[in-house]
Amino acid sequence: MSPRRPRASSEKTRPSIFWPLAGLLVPLLSLVFKLEIEDGEKLPRDGAYVLAPNHMSEIDPLVVALAVWRLGRAPRFMAKESLFRVPVLGWVLRRTGMVPVARATSAAAARATFEASETLVRHGRGVIVYPEGSLTREPDLWPMRGKTGAVRLALAGGIPVIPMAHWGSQQVMPRYGKLKLWPLRRRVKVIVGDPVDLSAYENAAASQTALVAATDLVMADIAGLLSQLRGEPAPATRWNPADHGQKETGRLES
């Protein structure tokens, strides 16, 4: 665990809509999760970043948001573009700086990715992107193969990709299961990794082959971090749902 609480960034210390949200949610979430964060100093204190965590439970976003807030940054996620058009919800998403993501197959989506990356850099914001795109289908909850959205966003603006892994949220809400609030303060371990070295792909962001290769590096780092938390080796290759006749639902990117 980190020896001391990291310095908070200005985006957390400056008054914003995050303050009332945190005032309401952080005490409640702290009753549910007992977070133990290792190497938290590796999350950048300032500037843009793409945080790439593993995904094994519907409650994971709350775990990651709480960890990021405690590490001194404001938690922002990628969200489906259609959600920004929903009354009230869309206003909240825009006010909190959430990042819209469109279908990755369209030319408009490529422009949106560049604009989102540019906004992150200009405002010095971070964004949380689940590179798996949905809950892992791997039977033992290891990370499955990733989608290219996270590295595409990062390479568009020269933004570092920070891998993260956590373990324990599945005890609070099993994959596709029901919420289990008792006992309170279940232990959830979180570890932050070093930025993934994507320097070999900086000039190849338009190549799907390069994006897939870069994504594989990110997923390998996430699996390695999860291996540290679990104390057992991760599978040598990532699970591919298509190879097992599994449909990937809840997909945000391809």
Side-chain angles (χ1 to χ4, degrees), residues 100 102-104 106-119 152-153 156:
R103 290 188 179 276
S106 68
R111 291 195 299 272
T113 296
F114 178 80
E115 291 171 0
S117 183
E118 189 178 52
T119 298
R152 192 166 53 242
L153 180 66

Side-chain angles (χ1 to χ4, degrees), residues 87-110:
V88 181
L89 175 60
W91 179 85
V92 172
L93 293 175
R94 287 188 292 273
R95 284 296 303 272
T96 53
M98 302 299 169
V99 178
V101 57
R103 290 188 179 276
T105 54
S106 68

Side-chain angles (χ1 to χ4, degrees), residues 49-64:
Y49 64 85
V50 174
L51 183 65
N54 61 315
H55 199 11
M56 58 192 175
S57 167
E58 289 92 337
I59 208 168
D60 288 346
L62 295 179
V63 172
V64 175

Side-chain angles (χ1 to χ4, degrees), residues 2 4-9 11-12 37-53 63-76 124-129 159-165 190-195 225:
S2 300
R4 59 186 176 81
R5 185 178 297 275
R7 174 179 60 85
S9 69
E11 67 179 2
K12 180 178 177 180
I37 303 175
E38 183 176 347
D39 294 336
E41 71 281 357
K42 293 181 179 179
L43 185 72
R45 299 280 75 78
D46 301 290
Y49 64 85
V50 174
L51 183 65
V63 172
V64 175
L66 180 60
V68 169
W69 184 255
R70 286 189 175 175
L71 291 175
R73 298 298 301 260
R76 295 181 171 92
R125 294 173 177 171
V127 65
I128 301 158
V129 183
I159 302 171
V161 177
I162 310 297
M164 170 188 275
V190 177
I191 185 170
V192 183
D194 293 311
L225 292 172

Side-chain angles (χ1 to χ4, degrees), residues 2-235:
S2 300
R4 59 186 176 81
R5 185 178 297 275
R7 174 179 60 85
S9 69
S10 60
E11 67 179 2
K12 180 178 177 180
T13 56
R14 186 168 51 241
S16 72
I17 193 173
F18 282 102
W19 279 19
L21 290 174
L24 175 65
L25 294 176
V26 169
L28 293 176
L29 295 178
S30 297
L31 288 175
V32 179
F33 309 113
K34 181 182 179 182
L35 284 190
E36 298 179 1
I37 303 175
E38 183 176 347
D39 294 336
E41 71 281 357
K42 293 181 179 179
L43 185 72
R45 299 280 75 78
D46 301 290
Y49 64 85
V50 174
L51 183 65
N54 61 315
H55 199 11
M56 58 192 175
S57 167
E58 289 92 337
I59 208 168
D60 288 346
L62 295 179
V63 172
V64 175
L66 180 60
V68 169
W69 184 255
R70 286 189 175 175
L71 291 175
R73 298 298 301 260
R76 295 181 171 92
F77 290 85
M78 265 194 164
K80 292 181 180 179
E81 188 180 42
S82 59
L83 296 178
F84 286 76
R85 296 192 291 271
V86 177
V88 181
L89 175 60
W91 179 85
V92 172
L93 293 175
R94 287 188 292 273
R95 284 296 303 272
T96 53
M98 302 299 169
V99 178
V101 57
R103 290 188 179 276
T105 54
S106 68
R111 291 195 299 272
T113 296
F114 178 80
E115 291 171 0
S117 183
E118 189 178 52
T119 298
L120 291 175
V121 172
R122 184 168 64 252
H123 295 287
R125 294 173 177 171
V127 65
I128 301 158
V129 183
Y130 287 103
E132 294 166 273
S134 63
L135 297 182
T136 181
R137 302 300 193 276
E138 208 280 337
D140 295 320
L141 300 180
W142 291 102
M144 62 179 180
R145 73 178 181 91
K147 297 176 172 63
T148 60
V151 297
R152 192 166 53 242
L153 180 66
L155 290 173
I159 302 171
V161 177
I162 310 297
M164 170 188 275
H166 58 84
W167 185 246
S169 62
Q170 76 282 2
Q171 300 298 323
V172 178
M173 178 176 278
R175 180 176 52 185
Y176 308 122
K178 295 182 179 179
L179 186 64
K180 300 179 180 179
L181 292 178
W182 190 263
L184 295 175
R185 289 184 57 76
R186 286 181 184 265
R187 183 187 186 199
V188 177
K189 297 185 291 183
V190 177
I191 185 170
V192 183
D194 293 311
V196 183
D197 183 5
L198 299 179
S199 57
Y201 306 98
E202 289 176 353
N203 299 318
S207 166
Q208 183 64 19
T209 300
L211 290 172
V212 170
T215 299
D216 288 344
L217 288 181
V218 173
M219 298 313 301
D221 280 6
I222 296 171
L225 292 172
L226 185 57
S227 178
Q228 292 183 50
L229 294 181
R230 294 175 59 165
E232 55 184 311

